[in-house]
Amino acid sequence: MLLFVEILKLLAEIALLCLAGQWVLGLLAGKRRDENLFYQLFQVLTRPLIAGARLISPRVVLDQHLPLVAFLLLSFVWIAATFTKIDICVRMGVHLCK
């Protein structure tokens, strides 16, 4: 169970960093961000996350806000995985949780 929680936490961290990297690079590149190779890479990596956010969010949410929705949902997943990992480690002993 601990391995599953750690994998889930790691995947959430990677996805959060991809979304944050895409946002920062979009700010730096400005209007020419679609020509940037790394921005395109971040788009490919975050496309499934944004599509998942579209599936579970109501139609009232605008498409331009979907990356923020995906970021918040992943943040909740990361927080839940962190608390679950702490709970598992406390129950089985912190020295066994390395």
Side-chain angles (χ1 to χ4, degrees):
M1 186 66 173
L2 180 62
L3 181 63
F4 173 73
V5 171
E6 285 182 347
I7 290 172
L8 182 67
K9 185 175 176 278
L10 180 64
L11 288 175
E13 287 171 353
I14 291 169
L16 283 168
L17 286 174
C18 285
L19 283 168
Q22 182 180 6
W23 178 72
V24 169
L25 193 55
L27 285 177
L28 293 174
K31 292 183 181 186
R32 297 186 58 176
R33 63 180 168 237
D34 292 327
E35 300 172 11
N36 190 313
L37 176 67
F38 293 103
Y39 188 82
Q40 291 173 0
L41 176 66
F42 281 136
Q43 276 185 325
V44 169
L45 293 172
T46 60
R47 190 174 298 136
L49 304 171
I50 295 172
R54 170 47 66 203
L55 286 175
I56 61 175
S57 64
R59 293 289 169 201
V60 178
V61 177
L62 300 175
D63 286 341
Q64 64 193 21
H65 296 146
L66 287 176
L68 178 62
V69 171
F71 188 85
L72 292 174
L73 290 172
L74 282 169
S75 297
F76 291 135
V77 168
W78 182 82
I79 289 169
T82 300
F83 283 133
T84 305
K85 181 180 176 183
I86 290 169
D87 182 54
I88 290 171
C89 288
V90 166
R91 276 194 272 139
M92 67 187 253
V94 177
H95 62 282
L96 294 174
C97 212
K98 292 184 180 180

